[in-house]
Amino acid sequence: MAGYQRKSKKNGRFIALGFAVFLLIYISSQLWGFANIKLRTEQVMDDTIYDFVRAEGMVFRNEEIIPQKVNGVTVYNYADGEEVAKKQDVAVVYKDKKVSMVNNQIDQMREELKSLEKAQTVKATRYSAVTNLSSQINNQVGRIVDTSADGVVEGISKQKEELTSLLNRKKIALGEEDTFADRIAQLNTEISYLEKAKTKEKGVAIEAPDAGYFCKNVDGYEETLTANELSNMTYEEYQQKKSASPKSVGSAAGKIIKSHIWYLGVDLANAEAQKFEVEDNVKLDFKFANGQTVAAKVVKIIPDNERKKSVVLFECKDITAQLLQIRKQSVDIIFTTYSGLRVNSKALYHEQNIPGVYVLDKTTVRFKPVEIIKDNGNFILCEPREGTDQEHTLNRLDMVILESGGVEMKDGTLLNEDTVKGVVSGNAGA
């Protein structure tokens, strides 16, 4: 019994010793971590964000199909989106494929000619232009890669043409080419020869049935989704058109869009539909135009009988080859834009109820008051507070303090060189 008690006491001492060692290690690690906390800053950047609604849209236009009455190889005289007059020859149908091949050759030569003439006009002969051109080339390559990765093919040819033009201009800037005059003259001669060869072949002309904008693509909704029907359309009628299948149109050479005005309808729950009012101006982003958006105006809001959902109609006036391909498409409807200085929310303080940030100005801590434009949760968009002197005005590229590292957050606090050297910096856009 006595031996058991001695053994029990000995085990108790081991447990107590083990706990003391663990406690010592824990306290030491906490003290070491606290001692190694560094001042963290982040650079202020310009930024723009949007309030938007994402929805499935449906496009209404007034269109007329161009019938193709003869079979053969169709060579078009107009590109999608180009304006044509009534009775104008929009295409010619040939029996021989050679004419189509010649036409493709002419188009390729004209693209190259356009690129070379643009490079000649710029005459970038100074090496100082090379850096700027290299940056533009890298950006253009990035755009092409992004577009391809998204599975978008519209606009690729134009992006390729712009890249070729930039590469040619860089050749001149580097002195690799003095002039493209010889190649330009050669292309003009070849194009002239092919044009004459093409005119010897007789074809059947296809006329435009009306004036408007030409489009090769026919989707079968030309007679179903017409702009003329929108003035008296009910919510139920919109749903019927939304579920309708495309109609067979037979052999067609394309269509004519009769007006530059077209309409987009979106079906929204009332919580989102209430964000819009008639006459509101918005922007539509269809995700294929390299960041470009389409201006639009709310012209009508059509509620259902139970007032739970509404169709919002937008009027648009832009005509491009890409936009003419749209019928049923996902779209971001941007109704508010916010621009300002982007600051991490961790950097925000309130001094005497005035919002602001502490900035590391060389070796001095400064409090810079701000007006909050938009609180996005993880970051805010803001602008300098009115009436603030220059020394306390927040600017782009200022280094705002995210973590103090034990430094007193007070306007005018001076730091020693060792503290400043240990600053860990980031970027607000990261």
Side-chain angles (χ1 to χ4, degrees), residues 319-370:
I319 294 287
T320 66
Q322 292 92 344
L323 292 173
L324 291 181
Q325 306 303 317
I326 298 172
R327 185 62 81 180
K328 295 181 178 181
Q329 174 83 36
S330 176
V331 59
D332 287 348
I333 307 161
I334 302 167
F335 54 88
T336 310
T337 302
Y338 305 92
S339 295
L341 297 171
R342 179 181 174 125
V343 174
N344 194 309
S345 295
K346 293 179 181 178
L348 186 64
Y349 286 79
H350 286 80
E351 301 295 352
Q352 298 179 351
N353 293 324
I354 297 175
V357 294
Y358 283 100
V359 171
L360 182 59
D361 182 6
K362 296 180 181 177
T363 58
T364 305
V365 175
R366 301 198 188 282
F367 180 72
K368 298 194 174 185
V370 299

Side-chain angles (χ1 to χ4, degrees), residues 205-258:
I206 299 177
E207 294 182 344
D210 210 334
Y213 300 88
F214 177 70
C215 180
K216 291 191 289 290
N217 182 54
V218 176
D219 58 22
Y221 289 103
E222 285 77 15
E223 296 178 0
T224 306
L225 303 180
T226 64
N228 287 337
E229 298 180 21
L230 292 174
S231 57
N232 298 314
M233 185 178 289
T234 65
Y235 182 87
E236 289 70 26
E237 289 171 340
Y238 180 91
Q239 297 305 314
Q240 290 173 7
K241 291 187 178 294
K242 187 177 177 181
S243 59
S245 300
K247 293 181 179 180
S248 175
V249 295
S251 182
K255 62 187 175 185
I256 296 294
I257 291 84
K258 296 181 180 181

Side-chain angles (χ1 to χ4, degrees), residues 182-201:
D182 291 343
R183 179 57 178 162
I184 289 172
Q186 182 186 356
L187 285 170
N188 279 320
T189 301
E190 291 178 4
I191 289 170
S192 179
Y193 172 79
L194 291 173
E195 288 284 7
K196 289 177 182 178
K198 190 175 75 170
T199 55
K200 292 179 182 179
E201 298 288 336

Side-chain angles (χ1 to χ4, degrees), residues 64-109:
E64 187 168 350
I65 293 172
I66 306 171
Q68 184 160 339
K69 298 177 181 178
V70 294
N71 296 323
V73 179
T74 303
V75 177
Y76 291 96
N77 298 328
Y78 291 90
D80 287 347
E82 288 191 323
E83 196 168 1
V84 298
K86 186 176 181 179
K87 300 292 185 182
Q88 195 120 20
D89 293 348
V90 295
V92 181
V93 181
Y94 296 95
K95 291 182 180 179
D96 195 339
K97 289 183 179 180
K98 290 180 181 177
V99 177
S100 178
M101 294 171 63
V102 168
N103 211 62
N104 288 335
Q105 280 183 285
I106 292 172
D107 288 343
Q108 290 173 9
M109 287 180 180

Side-chain angles (χ1 to χ4, degrees), residues 146-397:
D146 291 342
T147 302
S148 302
D150 290 340
V152 179
V153 296
E154 294 91 344
I156 281 285
S157 60
K158 288 186 177 179
Q159 291 180 0
K160 176 189 170 187
E161 181 184 329
E162 177 61 23
L163 178 60
T164 303
S165 176
L166 289 168
L167 290 169
N168 286 333
R169 289 159 63 188
K170 187 176 179 181
K171 283 183 180 179
I172 290 181
L174 289 170
E176 294 176 5
E177 296 281 356
D178 293 327
T179 177
F180 294 113
D182 291 343
R183 179 57 178 162
I184 289 172
Q186 182 186 356
L187 285 170
N188 279 320
T189 301
E190 291 178 4
I191 289 170
S192 179
Y193 172 79
L194 291 173
E195 288 284 7
K196 289 177 182 178
K198 190 175 75 170
T199 55
K200 292 179 182 179
E201 298 288 336
K202 290 184 178 180
V204 179
I206 299 177
E207 294 182 344
D210 210 334
Y213 300 88
F214 177 70
C215 180
K216 291 191 289 290
N217 182 54
V218 176
D219 58 22
Y221 289 103
E222 285 77 15
E223 296 178 0
T224 306
L225 303 180
T226 64
N228 287 337
E229 298 180 21
L230 292 174
S231 57
N232 298 314
M233 185 178 289
T234 65
Y235 182 87
E236 289 70 26
E237 289 171 340
Y238 180 91
Q239 297 305 314
Q240 290 173 7
K241 291 187 178 294
K242 187 177 177 181
S243 59
S245 300
K247 293 181 179 180
S248 175
V249 295
S251 182
K255 62 187 175 185
I256 296 294
I257 291 84
K258 296 181 180 181
S259 172
H260 69 287
I261 298 175
W262 52 280
Y263 300 87
L264 177 80
V266 294
D267 187 12
L268 300 174
N270 269 0
E272 292 186 326
Q274 288 171 2
K275 296 175 181 178
F276 304 99
E277 294 182 2
V278 173
E279 298 296 323
D280 280 354
N281 292 310
V282 302
K283 291 182 178 179
L284 306 178
D285 185 356
F286 292 101
K287 300 298 180 187
F288 57 64
N290 294 327
Q292 295 181 2
T293 55
V294 179
K297 181 174 71 173
V298 180
V299 291
K300 195 173 185 179
I301 298 176
I302 309 170
D304 67 357
N305 291 330
E306 298 178 357
R307 301 279 174 174
K308 291 183 178 179
K309 301 188 78 177
S310 294
V311 170
V312 182
L313 286 179
F314 301 91
E315 180 186 84
C316 312
K317 296 182 179 180
D318 289 343
I319 294 287
T320 66
Q322 292 92 344
L323 292 173
L324 291 181
Q325 306 303 317
I326 298 172
R327 185 62 81 180
K328 295 181 178 181
Q329 174 83 36
S330 176
V331 59
D332 287 348
I333 307 161
I334 302 167
F335 54 88
T336 310
T337 302
Y338 305 92
S339 295
L341 297 171
R342 179 181 174 125
V343 174
N344 194 309
S345 295
K346 293 179 181 178
L348 186 64
Y349 286 79
H350 286 80
E351 301 295 352
Q352 298 179 351
N353 293 324
I354 297 175
V357 294
Y358 283 100
V359 171
L360 182 59
D361 182 6
K362 296 180 181 177
T363 58
T364 305
V365 175
R366 301 198 188 282
F367 180 72
K368 298 194 174 185
V370 299
E371 301 282 357
I372 298 175
I373 298 171
K374 177 72 173 177
D375 189 339
N376 204 45
N378 293 328
F379 67 90
I380 62 168
L381 287 186
C382 61
E383 60 185 6
R385 189 178 178 87
E386 284 189 19
T388 305
D389 61 64
Q390 187 173 357
E391 194 175 63
H392 294 85
T393 296
L394 185 65
N395 295 297
R396 179 177 178 274
L397 304 183

